[in-house]
Structure formats: structure tokens, C-alpha cells
Amino acid sequence: DSGVTQTPKHLITATGQRVTLRCSPRSGDLSVYWYQQSLDQGLQFLIQYYNGEERAKGNILERFSAQQFPDLHSELNLSSLELGDSALYFCASSVGTSADTQYFGPGTRLTVL
Amino acid sequence: GENVEQHPSTLSVQEGDSAVIKCTYSDSASNYFPWYKQELGKRPQLIIDIRSNVGEKKDQRIAVTLNKTAKHFSLHITETQPEDSAVYFCAPLGLGWDKIIFGKGTRLHILP
């Protein structure tokens, strides 16, 4: 157990819908990272938040957004969902701004029908 | 960071033999070189990392070697065991990075 929690574990929804994925970092970690992993694909970095502020942006679609709250948990919002958004979404956390020594959560499996 | 490539994409080795996976990168400012292991259906886990002031690091059966001049680093697994079967990812990072790039992964099969 890495200490990073994610909810829900599984999510099944329909095209055009909107969902929210939640992540709680390890105690003491200030950075949260979001990744998308499609079937048989590598990890695609989406976005990083550090202490409530957006720190770095990867290949995140405009239909996706994220935020980090004062208690440091983070939410990833996915809207106007498409079939191709079906994937595993991981969050990870680290102590500082640098992405070294990241600890990953168990992931949320999103299925868009 | 920047362009990251892993080779091979798939590797099958006999149990007890050694496995080597190579990661090449293009960003000369990279200074942190980790390897992650992801078992089927599980989260990626950091298994070993090295920083640019060190050429080699070993932790029991796994080791990472770094060649900064040639811009590549490698994961070495000795005396492979069935539980080593997984996908392995590299993700070199550098100062001033603004995006994280993972290699596409190497699927390692340990044959009985």
C-alpha cells in the first residue's frame, strides 16, 4: 500500500457524460499528479498540482480539468466523455515539486459505453 | 525527459537468467533516472532510481546503470523469478522539466 488512495475503483458511464475522480495523496505529500493509461499503452502524464496550484501540464484534453483542494486531495473532472476516454486513471503524489520518488494510487478504471 | 525510448518492447527470459532493459533519452538536462514496475492490473511502483552523480546502483537482484554521455540508462535483473513478470517503465526527469514522459514500457516474461 503506497498511502495514496483513489475513488472510485471502477466507473462505468455513457458517452457525453461527466465524471469526477478523486485522489488523496500520502500524508505530507504536497504534489499530486494525474496519469491516463489506455489498454496496452504507457502512462500519459496529464497534469500536476502542488499545494493547491497547477504546476505542470501534459497532454490533458480541454474536456478534462483538475483541481487540488486546501486539504490537498485532488479531483480530476472528465466531461463530454467519448469511447476513447476509457482507460485506467492513476494519481501519484510526491513530497515536493519535483516528480522524483512518486507514489502511485491503485487507479480508477473508467469504462465509457 | 523529451524523447524517451525503451528497448526491447517485449523480453522473454528463462527463470534464473538475467534480463536487461534499456532506456534512451534526448534531454541532456535529465538528472533523475527511475524504473517503475507494473504488474497486471496493479499500480506502477518505483523499484530503483539513480541520480546523475552516480553511475550504478544496486538493490539485491536489481541494478540500474547510467551512461550520461550516451544518454541511456539500463535496468538489470539477475536470477529472474516468476514474480519479476511485469511491465517495466523508465521516466527520466531533468531540471526545469514541465512534463513527465514515461517510456512505452517493456513487457518482461519469465519462462518456467
Side-chain angles (χ1 to χ4, degrees):
Chain A
D1 185 1
S2 66
V4 179
T5 61
Q6 286 186 251
T7 56
K9 285 184 82 169
H10 303 277
L11 199 47
I12 301 174
T13 188
T15 54
Q17 294 299 304
R18 172 189 167 96
V19 297
T20 297
L21 312 183
R22 183 188 167 106
C23 169
S24 292
R26 288 189 328 150
S27 176
D29 285 359
L30 298 179
S31 273
V32 170
Y33 311 80
W34 286 99
Y35 295 88
Q36 179 191 58
Q37 186 174 43
S38 303
L39 193 63
D40 289 334
Q41 295 294 311
L43 287 151
Q44 299 292 319
F45 168 64
L46 297 178
I47 198 164
Q48 178 202 1
Y49 277 82
Y50 173 76
N51 204 21
E53 300 289 327
E54 182 183 305
R55 169 73 171 72
K57 218 166 187 176
N59 301 318
I60 188 166
L61 299 172
E62 284 194 15
R63 300 183 286 108
F64 296 0
S65 65
Q67 55 184 324
Q68 187 180 27
F69 295 87
D71 67 352
L72 301 176
H73 90 271
S74 177
E75 293 181 356
L76 179 67
N77 301 296
L78 316 176
S79 62
S80 302
L81 285 167
E82 302 175 0
L83 296 178
D85 297 328
S86 295
L88 257 175
Y89 290 84
F90 287 102
C91 80
S93 71
S94 69
V95 171
T97 56
S98 175
D100 60 359
T101 321
Q102 294 183 66
Y103 294 90
F104 282 78
T108 292
R109 182 171 294 282
L110 173 66
T111 302
V112 183
L113 301 174
Chain B
E2 302 296 327
N3 192 36
V4 177
E5 292 188 2
Q6 274 183 243
H7 294 282
S9 57
T10 306
L11 179 61
S12 296
V13 301
Q14 212 69 39
E15 183 179 346
D17 288 350
S18 295
V20 181
I21 303 169
K22 186 175 179 179
C23 181
T24 60
Y25 58 95
S26 60
D27 184 2
S28 56
S30 296
N31 63 356
Y32 175 69
F33 308 93
W35 285 99
Y36 291 85
K37 175 184 179 182
Q38 186 177 26
E39 296 176 53
L40 192 62
K42 301 272 184 74
R43 73 189 80 193
Q45 287 187 288
L46 177 68
I47 56 170
I48 197 165
D49 57 10
I50 196 170
R51 298 184 190 271
S52 59
N53 58 342
V54 178
E56 181 174 353
K57 182 177 176 181
K58 194 171 180 181
D59 182 4
Q60 299 183 350
R61 295 186 300 107
I62 60 172
V64 54
T65 57
L66 171 65
N67 185 328
K68 281 214 81 179
T69 304
K71 288 192 264 185
H72 66 74
F73 62 111
S74 297
L75 175 68
H76 304 255
I77 307 175
T78 58
E79 300 171 25
T80 52
Q81 299 171 5
E83 54 264 36
D84 296 328
S85 292
V87 179
Y88 293 82
F89 295 97
C90 64
L93 289 178
L95 287 173
W97 57 272
D98 59 1
K99 64 192 310 185
I100 304 164
I101 301 177
F102 276 68
K104 293 193 185 303
T106 295
R107 188 172 297 276
L108 176 62
H109 299 278
I110 306 301
L111 306 172

